Amino acid sequence: MELKDIIAISGMSGLYKVSAQTRSGVIVESLADGKKTPVGTNHRISSLADISVFTKTDDLPLWQVLKTIHAKTEGTVSVDLKAEPDVLKKYFKGIIEDFDDERVYASDIKKMLSWYLQLKDKLDFEKLGKEEETEETAAAAVTGSAQEKPIPKMHESHAPKADQHSKVAPVKLRKKV
């Protein structure tokens, strides 16, 4: 299982994996208990591969955060997830030193730590991020080749040129019967 296959759904706790697609949404399977649930299009669905954390310099992708949590905590989170916001921020500061504590809320830290606890037995943290790096290099190769081709210029006006009217074939109209 890869991080891009795992989703979080607003209004629903836990993490899910997409099982099937329907006309009105998707059917997801809970990673906690394996229960399948239909989810409509009115829910906001986020792939964990698309989530990042604010830092003081740049945004840090979630896979790097999870990998750092795994390396520094060795699979155990030593803080209570129901602790005070200051305690959670201090604990998280020990893991990610330069996270932006003004834009990263305690609820975000709780969410990331609970996601880590759910995923620690399901993901291989050594391989985490390698598929993202290969996708980035492939995307860079594609955009690099696309930039070599010249882009044709568009006309200033979208109306046909004056000399093009003479080249248009006359339209034949049908008579009503």
Side-chain angles (χ1 to χ4, degrees):
M1 181 181 314
E2 294 178 11
L3 203 60
K4 66 180 180 179
D5 299 331
I6 302 168
I7 60 171
I9 303 170
S10 66
M12 298 174 70
S13 62
L15 295 174
Y16 299 88
K17 178 182 165 188
V18 176
S19 295
Q21 193 168 8
T22 64
R23 283 182 284 166
S24 63
V26 292
I27 297 175
V28 296
E29 180 180 349
S30 173
L31 291 181
D33 57 4
K35 185 178 174 184
K36 293 187 178 184
T37 309
V39 176
T41 56
N42 57 343
H43 287 87
R44 194 174 71 206
I45 298 174
S46 302
S47 171
L48 293 191
D50 297 335
I51 298 174
S52 61
V53 178
F54 295 117
T55 62
K56 293 179 181 173
T57 56
D58 243 351
D59 291 347
L60 192 63
L62 184 65
W63 68 266
Q64 286 182 345
V65 173
L66 293 174
K67 201 170 186 177
T68 305
I69 291 172
H70 184 72
K72 291 194 177 180
T73 63
E74 298 173 0
T76 59
V77 175
S78 62
V79 69
D80 184 22
L81 296 180
K82 296 179 182 178
E84 294 294 318
D86 296 336
V87 174
L88 286 171
K89 285 189 176 191
K90 183 178 179 185
Y91 179 77
F92 200 67
K93 189 82 154 167
I95 297 171
I96 309 290
E97 292 85 16
D98 66 336
F99 84 97
D100 191 354
D101 56 349
E102 292 178 3
R103 296 193 293 173
V104 177
Y105 300 109
S107 60
D108 300 329
I109 295 171
K110 283 182 193 179
K111 200 179 296 184
M112 285 185 282
L113 292 174
S114 67
W115 287 350
Y116 169 73
L117 291 174
Q118 287 182 359
L119 294 173
K120 71 178 184 179
D121 297 330
K122 295 176 176 50
L123 286 180
D124 184 13
F125 288 95
E126 300 301 320
K127 293 180 181 178
L128 199 61
K130 291 182 181 178
E131 60 269 356
E132 282 85 2
E133 291 172 1
T134 56
E135 288 175 6
E136 288 175 4
T137 55
V142 169
T143 57
S145 64
Q147 289 178 352
E148 293 171 4
K149 296 178 183 177
I151 300 172
K153 292 186 177 182
M154 298 296 291
H155 293 292
E156 295 294 324
S157 169
H158 293 292
K161 294 181 181 177
D163 61 332
Q164 286 181 343
H165 288 292
S166 60
K167 296 179 185 176
V168 176
V171 178
K172 295 181 182 179
L173 297 175
R174 283 193 202 184
K175 295 181 180 179
K176 291 185 179 180
V177 180

